[in-house]
Amino acid sequence: MNFDPRYSGRNFTSVGTRPIRPDGVDKVTGRARYGADFNMAGQLVGRVLRSPHAHATIRKIDTSKAEKLPGVKAVITAADLPDLTDGDAAMYDILDNCMARTKALYDGHAVAAVAAVDARTARQALKLIVVDYEVLPHVTDVDEAMKHHAPLINDAIFTEGLEEKPVKPSNVTKRSQFGHGDVHQGFGHADFVVERSFKTEQTHQGYIEPHACVASVSSDGTADLWVCTQGHFVYRQHCAQLLGMEASKLRVTSSEIGGGFGGKTHVWAEPVALALSRKAGRPVKLVMTRDEVFRASGPTSATSIDIRIGARKDGTITAAEATLRYSCGPYAGSWAEIGAMTAFACYKLDNVKTVGYEVLVNRPKTAAYRAPSAPMAAFAVESAVDELAKEIGMDPVEFRIRNAAQEGTRSSYGPVYGPIGIGPTLEAARSHPHMKAPLGPNQGRGMACGFWFNFGGQTCTDLNIGMDGSVSLAVGTVDVGGSRASLSLVAAEELGIAYEHVKAIVADTSSLGYNDMTDGSRGTFSSSMATISAARNAIKILRERAAQMWDISVDDVVWEKGHAVARGEKHGNLGKLSLKEIAAASGKTGGPIAGHSELVADGAGVSFATHICDIEVDPETGATRVIRYTVVQDAGKAVHPTYVEGQYQGGAAQGIGWALNEEYIYGKDGRLQNPGFLDYRIPVCSDLPMIDTQILEIPNPNHPYGVRGVGETSIVPPLAAIANAVSNAAGVRMTHIPMSPPRILAAIEAERGG
């Protein structure tokens, strides 16, 4: 059946309501099973030995004493994970990150692992492994890593994207450039120019659940992996390739997920657990400690960004330029490229240029954090935009409205926009009561805009109708933010039945066709599209069965509000047949009734948001207090408004922590100094105000219900909105994230001294 994904305006019955979440009771009563809650008979405990050095050659590893310890069933090193990547550089980096081969590249890099009968024995075994290191010079700062005298992290890396092919290796893996027009000419037409440099420190996603898995490899080569992940199909592909397995022989089941935010889109310990199980011949459970999560899983990039923006007296931006340097950890990435694409995406610009540099450092491999790379770029751009508006003498909201992108605008990264929500979010912010509320002493108000691409991708869904009229919806996108409830609402909407009659589950990799990772805000967007398609396929069968029961042509049967209805005066004596009635008779009319869909969900639709923040700054200590916070964002169509509001509030809360407190702190020895929530401080309830939300609905033309992804955009504006608020409250421009009390106080004192 051909599926038309285009938006068709309609009135909704289920979509847009706020039913109770289906997983709520299990989660609050402790019945929900997360990554560490699964166990198998005879399982062993896995533990990983990690490098204490930021950069070191591994001369030799002696595991003989550990192997002889009673209770130890397997010990592995890189030799047990041979290179099977066949020249695939990205997969080789994943392999090397899972288990260091010739060099340890950061504090916490895995160098060996053990499987033992209990945790105590496993810890003892790690102490018996002797590693002979040759400690090398290290570099952990993104700017220092770019200098010509910086320690070289990988002598096989030559900078891509340069006009001339380099002859010397470098810590800069890639240069990316975007834009159009002539910025030199544009700055020549400017009456005002603001030029600033900004820095942001590395942060962690802060998910409460650590990485955890149970791996079981059988003697026949089949295997099972239970894991907390954002994409069990991708994990299957990566683990199978790294271990030389057939993907079809590895079944991966995703557990409930206790937070991911992009940090659980990469394999870290899972290939190690599978290799241990294969060698031991028994299941292996491997759970990272909090220390390991911080030292050895993927944080954000640290960044260094230069911004230059010019405008005429009337407030029209004439040129904008950015140079962005993003750390990648010790492996190549595309983080600066994304930052360069998103930096000026909110604005209509005739002359714009962005250049991004991917930089290797001796820190953990960088991973996504919600809208990866965009918050740092927005912090720099939106701070400069605010400063430029003040130079001109314009209200910062009006200045942004004047220059906002709109339908038909050529974006700063290339494509031409369709219907978008940046203008409406700014206008809603301008008229919001928050903007008119009075401020007290030492208080400042800031606002900022944010953008994210969103993503669709490969999606597969099954919809099965039971003989009792209940509906089971099997999806392959991991539920990281309430998608099971949203998808149940979509199925109920299409079928015309009550939400309570639909139950959505996340199927394992052997029960459903391939699904891409739940990232890029794709979960509800893509799986709702597939659910609509599957439901419409099921409705076609329901109509056929009703026609059979009535002994009339299927062309005379339509589906209305959960019932088959015979159309035409000649069938006036026929009543309606409900879904439940048709399902009950399915055994006599052709068997089970189901709908299936597999598609590539294109046209995800870009997303925009505007945030407003009020901050109080103590001028004597630099301490801050967030007084009020408001999020205005376009959702396309809010399928489950409570979940949408939760996404908005969650992104803002994480952004508040990032802007004011959170950072990785490395010592001179290149070791992480704060690998735990005691010293790496994320916001708690007492740190946050009630975060107000306003949902706008500008339909996405490429989705039947107009849905856009909402999970990532909400983390893009906070760094800038808070920085603008702090700058206004303190009377000095803040350019370094996080704005911790010592940094704010130092800036205030420097301003006073100047």
Side-chain angles (χ1 to χ4, degrees):
M1 179 178 179
N2 292 329
F3 175 67
D4 185 357
R6 290 176 298 179
Y7 173 68
S8 56
R10 59 182 290 174
N11 295 320
F12 295 101
T13 302
S14 295
V15 166
T17 61
R18 300 172 183 258
I20 295 173
R21 58 187 300 161
D23 54 341
V25 173
D26 283 352
K27 286 183 174 177
V28 300
T29 58
R31 293 175 59 189
R33 292 203 297 176
Y34 292 86
D37 293 329
F38 186 73
N39 296 288
M40 297 183 72
Q43 76 183 18
L44 302 171
V45 175
R47 287 287 186 272
V48 178
L49 182 67
R50 301 187 180 278
S51 169
H53 306 293
H55 195 196
T57 298
I58 301 171
R59 290 170 170 165
K60 183 181 179 182
I61 302 178
D62 184 355
T63 62
S64 58
K65 291 181 180 179
E67 291 167 350
K68 294 174 184 176
L69 183 68
V72 172
K73 303 300 180 182
V75 181
I76 67 168
T77 64
D80 298 281
L81 283 166
D83 180 11
L84 304 174
T85 59
D86 194 26
D88 185 329
M91 287 304 299
Y92 180 83
D93 285 351
I94 295 172
L95 176 67
D96 188 71
N97 189 52
C98 289
M99 189 66 69
R101 315 190 82 70
T102 59
K103 288 204 300 184
L105 297 172
Y106 56 90
D107 168 40
H109 199 169
V111 296
V114 303
V117 293
D118 54 39
R120 181 180 179 183
T121 304
R123 288 193 297 268
Q124 288 178 323
L126 292 184
K127 294 177 182 178
L128 295 175
I129 298 174
V130 180
V131 184
D132 181 11
Y133 293 104
E134 178 189 351
V135 178
L136 302 171
H138 64 271
V139 59
T140 58
D141 180 79
V142 63
D143 287 321
E144 290 296 320
M146 290 188 71
K147 294 179 178 178
H148 71 276
H149 61 266
L152 194 62
I153 295 173
N154 186 338
D155 58 13
I157 291 292
F158 293 80
T159 307
E160 297 179 16
L162 300 178
E163 290 184 4
E164 294 184 8
K165 187 175 181 180
V167 295
K168 292 183 179 181
S170 170
N171 287 332
V172 179
T173 69
K174 186 179 180 180
R175 179 189 184 275
S176 303
Q177 181 173 323
F178 299 91
H180 53 260
D182 185 332
V183 291
H184 179 74
Q185 186 179 70
F187 281 117
H189 295 153
D191 298 309
F192 298 89
V193 176
V194 165
E195 190 168 359
R196 285 273 188 184
S197 295
F198 301 86
K199 282 185 78 75
T200 69
E201 298 299 332
Q202 194 166 48
T203 54
H204 197 270
Q205 299 86 351
Y207 38 81
I208 302 303
E209 179 199 25
H211 297 267
C213 65
V214 178
S216 179
V217 181
S218 300
S219 57
D220 63 359
T222 60
D224 279 279
L225 180 67
W226 166 279
V227 61
C228 55
T229 174
Q230 291 178 235
H232 47 317
F233 288 89
V234 175
Y235 273 39
R236 179 185 65 174
Q237 299 299 108
H238 286 180
C239 288
Q241 184 173 348
L242 295 180
L243 274 81
M245 303 172 61
E246 293 181 29
S248 60
K249 291 186 176 182
L250 174 60
R251 180 176 64 177
V252 182
T253 304
S254 63
S255 68
E256 290 288 349
I257 186 168
F261 314 111
K264 291 176 181 172
T265 58
H266 301 251
V267 295
W268 310 102
E270 297 77 16
V272 174
L274 284 162
L276 284 168
S277 176
R278 179 167 63 182
K279 191 167 186 177
R282 287 168 61 176
V284 173
K285 184 174 186 175
L286 203 163
V287 181
M288 277 190 174
T289 64
R290 185 64 59 189
D291 178 276
E292 289 179 301
V293 169
F294 274 97
R295 291 171 62 215
S297 67
T300 66
S301 298
T303 73
S304 172
I305 302 172
D306 303 325
I307 299 293
R308 190 178 184 218
I309 308 178
R312 291 197 293 263
K313 294 176 182 178
D314 66 357
T316 302
I317 295 176
T318 60
E321 189 171 17
T323 302
L324 308 97
R325 298 166 289 274
Y326 280 60
S327 67
C328 303
Y331 304 104
S334 57
W335 310 108
E337 182 176 8
I338 298 171
M341 293 174 74
T342 62
F344 294 109
C346 291
Y347 299 106
K348 179 175 59 178
L349 303 169
D350 291 331
N351 305 292
V352 57
K353 177 183 177 182
T354 59
V355 178
Y357 294 96
E358 319 288 347
V359 186
L360 301 184
V361 293
N362 292 117
R363 295 191 181 207
K365 176 181 169 68
T366 297
Y369 184 4
R370 267 188 143 134
S373 302
M376 305 83 129
F379 159 60
V381 168
E382 291 294 299
S383 294
V385 165
D386 229 51
E387 193 169 1
L388 184 56
K390 289 177 183 178
E391 288 280 336
I392 296 170
M394 285 187 70
D395 176 84
V397 181
E398 297 296 339
F399 181 65
R400 287 173 170 86
I401 289 174
R402 182 177 187 84
N403 293 285
Q406 53 195 272
E407 184 173 359
T409 294
R410 183 184 178 187
S411 69
S412 57
Y413 61 96
V416 174
Y417 289 134
I420 56 174
I422 179 61
T425 68
L426 282 164
E427 289 162 5
R430 177 175 59 183
S431 60
H432 197 282
H434 186 166
M435 275 296 190
K436 302 173 180 64
L439 292 169
N442 301 317
Q443 294 178 357
R445 176 167 297 140
M447 56 83 59
C449 302
F451 158 89
W452 187 244
F453 307 98
N454 292 332
F455 171 65
Q458 300 177 78
T459 313
C460 183
T461 297
D462 274 338
L463 186 150
N464 293 280
I465 301 174
M467 293 185 70
D468 60 354
S470 64
V471 174
S472 175
L473 183 66
V475 301
T477 45
V478 175
D479 184 354
V480 298
S483 60
R484 280 172 293 188
S486 298
L487 298 175
S488 295
L489 283 170
V490 169
E493 185 73 47
E494 279 295 316
L495 295 171
I497 60 176
Y499 164 82
E500 292 75 19
H501 294 160
V502 183
K503 180 177 178 60
I505 63 166
V506 180
D508 65 55
T509 58
S510 294
S511 304
L512 199 63
Y514 181 84
N515 281 259
D516 279 324
M517 184 77 65
T518 302
D519 60 6
S521 299
R522 69 174 296 269
T524 297
F525 167 78
S526 61
S527 279
S528 65
M529 190 181 291
T531 297
I532 293 168
S533 174
R536 291 178 181 177
N537 289 336
I539 287 171
K540 180 176 181 292
I541 298 172
L542 287 164
R543 289 175 49 239
E544 291 171 351
R545 300 296 178 86
Q548 185 177 339
M549 293 168 71
W550 281 328
D551 194 22
I552 64 174
S553 170
V554 69
D555 294 334
D556 292 337
V557 180
V558 295
W559 191 259
E560 295 177 354
K561 298 179 179 179
H563 294 78
V565 179
R567 182 174 53 187
E569 293 182 3
K570 60 183 177 180
H571 302 310
N573 62 331
L574 296 176
K576 299 178 179 178
L577 283 174
S578 68
L579 180 147
K580 186 174 183 179
E581 291 170 324
I582 299 170
S586 61
K588 300 176 182 178
T589 60
I593 300 173
H596 181 77
S597 176
E598 60 282 318
L599 50 79
V600 176
D602 291 325
V606 296
S607 176
F608 294 90
T610 298
H611 289 201
I612 314 166
C613 177
D614 293 352
I615 294 274
E616 183 175 286
V617 177
D618 185 332
E620 302 302 319
T621 66
T624 56
R625 182 168 66 94
V626 183
I627 301 166
R628 187 171 181 179
Y629 203 101
T630 300
V631 177
V632 183
Q633 185 174 323
D634 171 24
K637 176 62 186 176
V639 177
H640 192 305
T642 301
Y643 277 117
V644 172
E645 291 164 352
Q647 291 294 322
Y648 291 3
Q649 292 166 332
Q654 289 179 312
I656 289 169
W658 191 343
L660 297 176
N661 293 305
E662 299 179 38
E663 65 176 309
Y664 271 36
I665 299 172
Y666 279 86
K668 292 182 179 180
D669 59 358
R671 301 199 68 185
L672 182 62
Q673 303 297 299
N674 57 335
F677 286 137
L678 180 63
D679 297 311
Y680 181 95
R681 190 174 181 278
I682 63 174
V684 296
C685 289
S686 58
D687 296 316
L688 301 171
M690 179 59 195
I691 297 169
D692 191 16
T693 61
Q694 183 175 347
I695 300 172
L696 302 185
E697 296 186 326
I698 295 96
N700 176 7
N702 301 307
H703 187 283
Y705 293 0
V707 169
R708 298 178 191 269
V710 300
E712 293 176 283
T713 312
S714 55
I715 204 172
V716 180
L719 306 191
I722 295 165
N724 288 334
V726 170
S727 298
N728 291 334
V732 57
R733 171 55 55 185
M734 299 301 299
T735 60
H736 195 163
I737 293 288
M739 294 170 289
S740 56
R743 284 203 180 105
I744 293 174
L745 190 58
I748 293 173
E749 291 176 347
E751 184 73 9
R752 288 171 180 167

